[in-house]
Amino acid sequence: MDASDAGVQKGAARRARLRQYQEQLLERMQAARTSSGARAHQLGVEIGGVRYLLDLVEAGEIVPLPPLAAVPLTQPWYLGLANVRGSLLGVVDLARYLDPETAPNALPGAGARLVTFAPSLAFPCALLVGRVVGLRHAADMEPADGGLRDAEGQEWTPLSLAALAREERFLQVAR
């Protein structure tokens, strides 16, 4: 076997692992959506040092941060456009959207990802997240100050991407 054959096999193995991971994630998301008719599982993310819970029905893909194309004359929290699997998505820095006084993230950390809005929302947008924490089970948390507190004492803020997509200010990206 020469080097080109080894490279082809390595690429095929990588694609197979990625496909298996995506299928497992899809199964978990579907199980979370249908478990007892309740949306008990959420995706935990950190944005601007704050922990948020995103409903799996509203969250789409989690992708590494691609290059962004700046869009002139837009709000400081609108970071630009990203090409995700051939679709152009607007990318929003939610920390700056919620608190305009927040300093811009000049260089996102190694754990930074984009969480896209689910296709069912028909809203081509993604949020820049500093870190994806993983699946959380809201039923295991207690109410605390308008949010939830987990067993470790960490506070989580539920965030509805569908509600965000309907906010007038969020829709006005032009300056």
Side-chain angles (χ1 to χ4, degrees):
M1 173 178 355
D2 63 18
S4 66
D5 289 340
V8 168
Q9 287 180 344
K10 190 183 248 185
R14 188 177 306 132
R15 285 189 299 278
R17 285 191 309 271
L18 176 61
R19 187 173 15 261
Q20 180 183 16
Y21 172 75
Q22 289 174 332
E23 288 170 357
Q24 290 171 346
L25 183 59
L26 180 62
E27 287 172 8
R28 286 188 292 182
M29 289 175 66
Q30 287 173 340
R33 289 179 187 150
T34 59
S35 64
S36 305
R39 297 179 186 159
H41 286 82
Q42 286 82 27
L43 178 65
V45 297
E46 281 188 17
I47 302 172
V50 178
R51 291 177 185 85
Y52 291 95
L53 294 173
L54 307 178
D55 191 325
L56 288 178
V57 173
E58 297 177 353
E61 293 184 72
I62 301 166
V63 296
L65 187 61
L68 299 177
V71 178
L73 304 174
T74 57
Q75 299 292 338
W77 45 264
Y78 188 81
L79 301 178
L81 295 171
N83 181 344
V84 176
R85 300 191 204 295
S87 296
L88 286 179
L89 303 177
V91 178
V92 171
D93 181 346
L94 188 68
R96 289 185 73 192
Y97 172 77
L98 294 174
D99 181 8
E101 301 301 315
T102 301
N105 290 333
L107 295 172
R113 298 285 185 265
L114 292 183
V115 176
T116 66
F117 286 45
S120 61
L121 295 178
F123 194 74
C125 189
L127 297 180
L128 174 65
V129 301
R131 184 169 76 104
V132 175
V133 181
L135 292 178
R136 294 291 181 256
H137 196 261
D140 295 339
M141 298 183 187
E142 297 179 8
D145 300 326
L148 298 169
R149 183 175 292 120
D150 64 17
E152 290 83 36
Q154 297 177 332
E155 294 198 13
W156 296 86
T157 302
L159 176 65
S160 170
L161 297 181
L164 189 61
R166 290 189 302 268
E167 282 187 20
E168 187 65 31
R169 188 171 77 95
F170 191 78
L171 297 173
Q172 300 300 320
V173 298
R175 284 191 199 197

